[in-house]
Amino acid sequence: MNTIKDTDNFQVDNSSIIKSISNIYTTTIYIDFYSGTYTTIESSVQLPFLEPHGLFKPFIENYANVCVCDEHRKMFLDFFDEVNLIAELTKTSSYTEIEFRRIINHQSDWMRFVVIPSGSEENLRYAVLACNDITKQKEEELLHLQMLRDALAAAKQANQAKTEFLSNMSHDIRTPMNAILGMALLAGAHIDDRSYVLDCLNKINTAGKHLLSLINDILDLSKIESGHSVLSSEEFCLGDALDDVISIISPEARKKHFSFICSTGEIANDIVIGDKLRFKQILINLLSNSCKYTNDYGSITLVASKSSLNSVTSYEFTISDTGIGISENYFADMFQPFTRETGEKNQYIEGSGLGLAITHNLIMLMNGTISVESSVGKGTSFTVTIPFIPVNESMQAQTQYKPLLSSRNPLPHSSRRKRILLVDDNEMNLEVGKELIQLSNAIVETAQNGQEAVDIFSSQPKNYYDAIFMDIKMPVLNGYDATRKIRKITSLNGDSIPIIAMTAHAFSEDVSRAKSCGMTGHLSKPIDMLSLQHILESF
């Protein structure tokens, strides 16, 4: 049996390496494998059971049984088994280490024990054991590891949601596409049956609008999440915006026999500064959801009000319905993209799972808030608060509001045939645009790029054209630059002729860019016939 020897018999290496180790670690121990003993070199923090000299194996066993946590004890004892330890040191020739959790006085911390060989690799006799408390470092590592695990779980969840979304979108896109292509084939097969063809065309139109809404949702979300969505800042009347929203929702409300009540109260005549298009999109999304998830003969209400706090005016809009409601389990994921509440009542309702995510992100962009109250089987209530900047009364009195697209006050149709210059590089779009404009009895001339449009306009006498409809993305010269050039031709009234963007660039920032380059209005593709008619009636 090994016994403790006098320290003078130990060949303790006081080299700079040992001193450096002692400077880094709180406890340093010299181990003699031949005698099975140890000598404490340095211990600024006393380890339990550690003596200046002692037998190494009993020290390790006592320390393991009392200090090392249950789940790490066997690992600790296996690590310090003499045969295992010497074999590991001989194999690595540098050092080996172990990290474990210990319990002292019911307090948990983390320790690192490092064993460094000292002497010949072929006949290893001595080693240095260095010990340190790594609790803070370990907690940071564990926190970082947990963050990585959470991020991985979130990424997996997001990927799963996107996979489900793509599967749903594949179905949702193919459904209207099947209707469009199928109805086109059926119309061609019954070309002599006018009523049948008209019915097919109406169904193609409905399916096309549905497909367009899906595409807009996807593009909207992509734009917002990439940080490229820019809000416009314009003066607009809240009452006009709400009227637009109501006119869009009312047909669906009538179709399903809803009681649709709107209370705008004192805000109806308020002029504010903000993004009118995005504001309407928020309300339309929420009201459309109410229509979608409320059974026939239900009720939907829209209540608007305002309040002021610390000179900040906030407008509150509450949309309530008597629909199927939302379960509490879905509240946490409600505003996440690509998600939809599952359930028997929802499985036959079409949707991309993007509407609420887009709505939430737009409200956040406006520095607003959104809250929800819901009860399954009884209905849902969303409350949106947006801090619009009000225009003071004196400014309102001085401002003339004559929007180009005024659905409430369209200008009377002129008996004189208007002459329009239509500019588009795509032959099919040029044909569609020309035919649609000619339905209003207008004369349409065409150009296939911006430079050609400038040349044609310059070659005609003053006031020859009543308006120009301009595509944006074209070869040779784009629509923005073509507009700037035409605006400089003041001798032919180029500075005042209405120039309307007719383009697939349909975001609010595209509308703002069109206005900033001198365009009078904006009409996005696919062309809405009612909007086109309002524009044609406005000049």
Side-chain angles (χ1 to χ4, degrees):
M1 180 176 178
N2 292 322
T3 58
I4 300 174
K5 297 182 179 181
D6 188 85
T7 55
D8 292 339
N9 296 328
F10 277 93
Q11 301 299 317
V12 178
D13 186 356
N14 291 317
S15 68
S16 59
I17 297 176
I18 299 295
K19 291 180 180 179
S20 297
I21 293 172
S22 299
N23 290 333
I24 297 172
Y25 292 87
T26 57
T27 301
T28 312
I29 302 168
Y30 201 78
I31 306 169
D32 185 338
F33 290 117
Y34 282 14
S35 65
T37 60
Y38 72 87
T39 298
T40 301
I41 300 173
E42 179 70 36
S43 183
S44 59
V45 178
Q46 183 65 35
L47 289 179
F49 305 105
L50 181 66
E51 302 293 341
H53 309 283
L55 295 172
F56 186 65
K57 184 176 181 180
F59 160 66
I60 289 296
E61 289 176 345
N62 288 333
Y63 188 85
N65 291 328
V66 175
C67 301
V68 180
C69 70
D70 293 343
E71 62 265 31
H72 290 167
R73 186 173 296 123
K74 185 179 184 305
M75 174 187 69
F76 183 87
L77 290 171
D78 288 345
F79 178 86
F80 279 106
D81 177 82
E82 184 175 320
V83 175
N84 293 341
L85 186 57
I86 291 174
E88 185 66 24
L89 291 172
T90 302
K91 181 175 67 175
T92 62
S93 74
S94 55
Y95 71 92
T96 185
E97 64 178 19
I98 183 173
E99 294 179 357
F100 60 92
R101 190 166 63 87
R102 70 176 184 177
I103 309 292
I104 298 179
N105 297 326
H106 305 290
Q107 297 293 321
S108 174
D109 58 17
W110 281 87
M111 296 294 293
R112 176 185 288 133
F113 280 15
V114 181
V115 183
I116 306 166
S118 175
S120 170
E121 295 179 14
E122 292 78 13
N123 189 22
L124 182 63
R125 176 175 180 176
Y126 300 109
V128 175
L129 171 61
C131 313
N132 244 358
D133 186 326
I134 59 168
T135 303
K136 185 176 180 180
Q137 175 185 339
K138 198 68 179 178
E139 287 176 349
E140 291 177 352
E141 289 179 1
L142 291 174
L143 178 61
H144 183 63
L145 181 61
Q146 186 59 46
M147 290 172 64
L148 288 176
R149 286 173 177 165
D150 291 344
L152 178 61
K156 287 182 177 178
Q157 185 178 0
N159 284 334
Q160 178 63 27
K162 287 182 179 180
T163 299
E164 293 176 0
F165 162 77
L166 289 173
S167 177
N168 290 336
M169 287 304 298
S170 176
H171 170 270
D172 289 351
I173 289 175
R174 287 176 183 274
T175 298
M177 280 300 299
N178 180 65
I180 291 169
L181 297 175
M183 287 298 164
L185 287 173
L186 290 173
H190 298 79
I191 195 68
D192 295 325
D193 188 340
R194 179 178 173 81
S195 62
Y196 190 92
V197 170
L198 285 175
D199 182 61
C200 288
L201 292 177
N202 286 331
K203 291 174 180 175
I204 288 172
N205 185 48
T206 300
K209 287 181 177 178
H210 177 62
L211 181 59
L212 178 62
S213 71
L214 291 176
I215 294 171
N216 284 339
D217 279 350
I218 297 169
L219 294 177
D220 260 346
L221 184 71
S222 175
K223 198 89 168 177
I224 293 169
E225 290 197 333
S226 67
H228 294 152
S229 184
V230 180
L231 296 176
S232 66
S233 184
E234 59 180 329
E235 293 181 12
F236 68 93
C237 175
L238 279 173
D240 286 346
L242 289 171
D243 280 354
D244 291 344
V245 170
I246 293 168
S247 67
I248 291 172
I249 298 300
S250 290
E252 182 65 18
R254 286 193 295 269
K255 180 181 177 182
K256 298 184 73 173
H257 309 287
F258 291 146
S259 169
F260 183 27
I261 301 172
C262 302
S263 175
T264 57
E266 59 180 341
I267 77 162
N269 297 315
D270 281 19
I271 307 298
V272 298
I273 297 175
D275 192 321
K276 180 181 179 182
L277 182 64
R278 293 302 198 182
F279 166 64
K280 294 194 309 184
Q281 183 179 358
I282 290 168
L283 296 186
I284 290 169
N285 281 355
L286 294 175
L287 286 167
S288 295
N289 273 358
S290 289
C291 290
K292 188 186 300 183
Y293 295 103
T294 300
N295 294 325
D296 290 6
Y297 298 97
S299 67
I300 298 173
T301 60
L302 167 60
V303 179
S305 61
K306 71 176 176 179
S307 61
S308 295
L309 180 64
N310 298 327
S311 302
V312 176
T313 301
S314 294
Y315 291 86
E316 186 175 281
F317 306 89
T318 301
I319 294 97
S320 304
D321 62 57
T322 57
I324 62 176
I326 303 169
S327 65
E328 289 187 10
N329 294 335
Y330 185 60
F331 274 25
D333 298 322
M334 184 186 307
F335 298 120
Q336 295 301 315
F338 315 112
T339 61
R340 294 185 67 199
E341 185 173 16
T342 57
E344 184 179 347
K345 292 183 178 180
N346 297 329
Q347 62 180 333
Y348 299 113
I349 299 175
E350 291 185 347
S352 63
L354 296 176
L356 282 179
I358 293 169
T359 298
H360 177 264
N361 287 339
L362 288 176
I363 292 169
M364 295 302 103
L365 280 175
M366 294 180 175
N367 297 317
T369 61
I370 181 170
S371 60
V372 60
E373 295 179 2
S374 187
S375 178
V376 175
K378 294 182 179 180
T380 303
S381 179
F382 284 95
T383 300
V384 175
T385 303
I386 301 175
F388 284 126
I389 302 172
V391 179
N392 62 48
E393 293 182 3
S394 61
M395 290 179 65
Q396 290 185 35
Q398 297 171 12
T399 307
Q400 298 290 325
Y401 293 98
K402 295 181 180 178
L404 185 60
L405 303 181
S406 176
S407 59
R408 302 198 302 173
N409 300 298
L411 296 179
H413 180 68
S414 173
S415 59
R416 181 181 67 85
R417 294 188 70 185
K418 297 172 182 176
R419 189 181 300 274
I420 307 297
L421 177 59
L422 176 63
V423 190
D424 200 311
D425 63 309
N426 184 284
E427 289 187 10
M428 189 172 294
N429 284 339
L430 204 61
E431 179 182 354
V432 170
K434 182 177 180 180
E435 291 296 328
L436 290 178
I437 294 172
Q438 285 179 340
L439 291 175
S440 67
N441 199 36
I443 301 169
V444 181
E445 298 180 9
T446 62
Q448 293 191 315
N449 61 66
Q451 186 57 54
E452 186 177 338
V454 174
D455 294 340
I456 291 174
F457 180 81
S458 303
S459 67
Q460 302 298 341
K462 185 176 181 179
N463 296 327
Y464 180 78
Y465 292 110
D466 293 284
I468 301 173
F469 283 81
M470 183 83 70
D471 187 24
I472 299 300
K473 191 175 181 180
M474 297 181 291
V476 186
L477 189 68
N478 64 54
Y480 297 132
D481 292 335
T483 298
R484 293 187 183 97
K485 286 191 173 186
I486 291 173
R487 289 297 183 215
K488 293 178 181 179
I489 310 175
T490 56
S491 60
L492 300 177
N493 284 352
D495 56 337
S496 60
I497 185 173
I499 303 178
I500 297 90
M502 183 183 282
T503 173
H505 293 277
F507 291 108
S508 59
E509 52 266 39
D510 298 317
V511 177
S512 298
R513 188 177 179 187
K515 290 182 179 179
S516 67
C517 79
M519 290 183 167
T520 315
H522 186 279
L523 184 62
S524 60
K525 298 175 182 175
I527 298 167
D528 177 74
M529 194 59 200
L530 184 60
S531 297
L532 175 61
Q533 180 183 345
H534 289 158
I535 289 178
L536 291 169
E537 290 174 347
S538 67
F539 53 81

